[in-house]
């Protein structure tokens, strides 16, 4: 969901635009959507806490997209929280944790690939350096 700040935010993700990122809609049981209580990616700004899902869109749910350059990753982005921390991940295939603020220290662990879902204005993020998993 795009945040409108006096100008229209593009439906196609743009560099340095701020969005509310919602969890992917469940296609087989649409009755639970949008009644799902926790669906917006959220981060308090505390680097000791992992991002999670929250029920409403507010300050802690603002995520700014920034283009990035990476060898081997097409359409690479960083996801920056309202507190200025990049959402990152562990590169190890056996670890599924997501963090923020440099909690995952491997180089490039904050790079995400943006993939269109096939529906209008709907995208998903894939961890850029986990394609071998």
């Amino acid at each position: 969901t795009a945040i409108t700040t006096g100008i229209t935010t593009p439906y196609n993700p743009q560099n340095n635009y701020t969005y509310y990122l919602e969890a992917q809609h469940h296609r087989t049981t649409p009755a639970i959507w949008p009644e799902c209580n926790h669906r917006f990616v959220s981060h308090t700004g505390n680097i000791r806490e992992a991002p999670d899902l929250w029920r409403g869109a507010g300050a802690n749910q603002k995520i700014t997209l920034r283009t990035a350059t990476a060898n081997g990753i097409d359409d690479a982005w960083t996801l920056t929280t309202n507190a200025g921390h990049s959402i990152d991940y562990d590169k190890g295939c056996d670890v599924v944790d997501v963090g923020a603020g440099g909690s995952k220290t491997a180089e490039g662990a904050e790079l995400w690939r943006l993939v269109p879902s096939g529906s209008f204005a709907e995208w998903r993020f894939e961890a850029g350096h986990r394609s071998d998993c």
Side-chain angles (χ1 to χ4, degrees):
T1 303
I3 299 171
T4 304
T5 55
I7 59 171
T8 304
T9 302
Y11 286 110
N12 291 325
Q14 300 291 312
N15 185 43
N16 288 320
Y17 274 83
T18 300
Y19 296 87
Y20 294 118
L21 303 181
E22 294 183 61
Q24 188 171 8
H25 301 212
H26 193 276
R27 303 251 183 250
T28 59
T29 55
I32 64 167
W33 195 265
E35 291 83 12
C36 179
N37 286 329
H38 293 85
R39 67 181 203 238
F40 295 97
V41 174
S42 180
H43 190 257
T44 64
N46 182 341
I47 62 171
R48 291 184 183 97
E49 295 178 6
D52 59 9
L53 296 177
W54 193 247
R55 63 180 162 256
N60 288 344
Q61 292 72 43
K62 291 180 180 179
I63 306 293
T64 300
L65 304 182
R66 295 201 168 84
T67 57
T69 304
N71 289 335
I73 302 176
D74 295 328
D75 205 12
W77 297 80
T78 60
L79 311 177
T80 306
T81 68
N82 198 36
H85 303 300
S86 291
I87 297 177
D88 50 18
Y89 53 89
D90 194 298
K91 288 182 174 181
C93 293
D94 58 339
V95 181
V96 295
D97 297 337
V98 174
S103 60
K104 310 298 177 195
T105 57
E107 182 178 334
E110 75 286 349
L111 297 176
W112 300 85
R113 180 181 297 113
L114 197 58
V115 180
S117 72
S119 297
F120 176 71
E122 195 173 277
W123 302 77
R124 73 175 186 269
F125 291 91
E126 295 176 351
H129 287 287
R130 291 180 58 114
S131 60
D132 293 336
C133 296

